[in-house]
């Protein structure tokens, strides 16, 4: 924490402060909070909710937290739409399902309409199918020592637990585990 430019007696229960010192203290607190917010935003893209939550961990008045976040939004340091695009893209690269991406964006405080718009623009059917294929390949390696029936059940369960639709994955898993033969 930064050193404040005046002395505060911590032994007394109440401390009177004149108007001039109050203004100095208020400005220093504002600068400190603004710098903490900028440090937080400099590490990676953040949503509005994440930024507010970060500031609320500090001993600040809620109105000051909102004011600083609005200032950052006006300076375009925070953008929920930019955050949603970048975060959805990173989740896609990790082969996450459409539903898992929706859930994680909602957790980050992104508006439902913005989530839908982002998913429509950035998550294509082909990308989701590629993610399913890649996840199946990884799971086949993990469960290679099991019998085909157990492989099928474990892979199917894992994919469904991770937000992929049962209807979308059951045939793909069957073909990968059993090939063209019936089971």
């Amino acid at each position: 924490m930064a050193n404040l430019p005046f002395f505060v007696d911590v032994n007394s229960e109440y401390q009177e402060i004149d108007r001039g010192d109050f203004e100095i203290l208020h400005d220093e607190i504002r600068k400190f909070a603004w710098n903490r917010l900028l440090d937080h935003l400099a590490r990676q893209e953040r949503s509005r909710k994440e930024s507010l939550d970060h500031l609320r961990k500090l001993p600040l008045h809620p109105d000051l937290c909102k004011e600083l976040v609005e200032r950052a939004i006006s300076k375009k340091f925070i953008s929920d739409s930019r955050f949603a695009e970048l975060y959805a893209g990173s989740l896609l690269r990790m082969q996450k399902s459409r539903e898992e991406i929706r859930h994680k964006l909602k957790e980050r405080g992104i508006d439902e309409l913005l989530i839908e718009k982002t998913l429509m623009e950035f998550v294509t059917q082909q990308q989701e199918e590629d993610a399913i294929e890649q996840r199946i390949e990884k799971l086949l390696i993990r469960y290679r020592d099991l019998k085909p029936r157990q492989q099928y059940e474990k892979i199917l369960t894992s994919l469904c637990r991770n937000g992929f639709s049962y209807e979308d994955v059951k045939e793909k898993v069957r073909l990968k585990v059993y090939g063209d033969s019936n089971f």
Side-chain angles (χ1 to χ4, degrees), residues 1-165:
M1 187 169 205
N3 291 331
L4 299 177
F6 47 84
F7 175 75
V8 177
D9 182 12
V10 293
N11 294 327
S12 67
E13 192 170 319
Y14 297 101
Q15 181 77 29
E16 288 203 23
I17 186 169
D18 65 25
R19 188 74 182 158
D21 286 344
F22 175 77
E23 292 299 326
I24 292 171
L25 177 62
H26 189 262
D27 288 343
E28 289 298 319
I29 290 170
R30 183 182 304 278
K31 286 178 194 173
F32 173 76
W34 177 246
N35 287 331
R36 287 290 297 263
L37 178 60
L38 292 179
D39 287 345
H40 183 67
L41 295 172
R43 289 188 190 95
Q44 70 183 44
E45 191 71 33
R46 307 286 182 165
S47 69
R48 182 181 193 284
K49 178 185 179 295
E50 288 176 317
S51 300
L52 268 173
D53 290 346
H54 177 72
L55 287 177
R56 286 183 178 139
K57 292 177 186 173
L58 300 173
L60 301 173
H61 193 277
D63 291 342
L64 179 59
C65 295
K66 290 176 188 173
E67 176 189 325
L68 293 174
V69 168
E70 292 305 319
R71 179 178 170 199
I73 290 171
S74 72
K75 292 184 177 286
K76 297 189 181 355
F77 296 157
I78 299 173
S79 169
D80 279 352
S81 61
R82 186 176 60 222
F83 171 79
E85 292 171 13
L86 293 171
Y87 194 55
S90 74
L91 292 172
L92 273 174
R93 285 188 294 281
M94 293 187 289
Q95 298 106 28
K96 301 297 182 186
S97 69
R98 180 183 277 284
E99 287 305 310
E100 195 166 359
I101 293 170
R102 174 181 281 113
H103 176 72
K104 288 189 178 280
L105 286 172
K106 197 170 191 168
E107 263 182 3
R108 299 292 199 274
I110 305 300
D111 180 54
E112 192 66 40
L113 292 173
L114 184 55
I115 291 172
E116 287 304 317
K117 179 183 174 227
T118 303
L119 291 174
M120 297 268 299
E121 287 180 19
F122 294 99
V123 183
T124 64
Q125 185 64 29
Q126 184 61 45
Q127 287 174 317
E128 191 157 20
E129 287 179 16
D130 290 346
I132 291 170
E133 293 292 329
Q134 291 172 354
R135 295 285 285 268
I136 290 172
E137 292 298 327
K138 286 181 181 178
L139 291 169
L140 276 171
I141 293 169
R142 180 185 295 167
Y143 300 125
R144 66 182 170 265
D145 296 333
L146 300 177
K147 294 178 184 173
R149 181 66 186 176
Q150 290 172 318
Q151 278 183 336
Y152 175 79
E153 290 171 356
K154 289 209 178 262
I155 293 171
L156 195 60
T157 303
S158 177
L159 290 171
C160 290
R161 226 178 309 137
N162 288 303
F164 292 103
S165 164

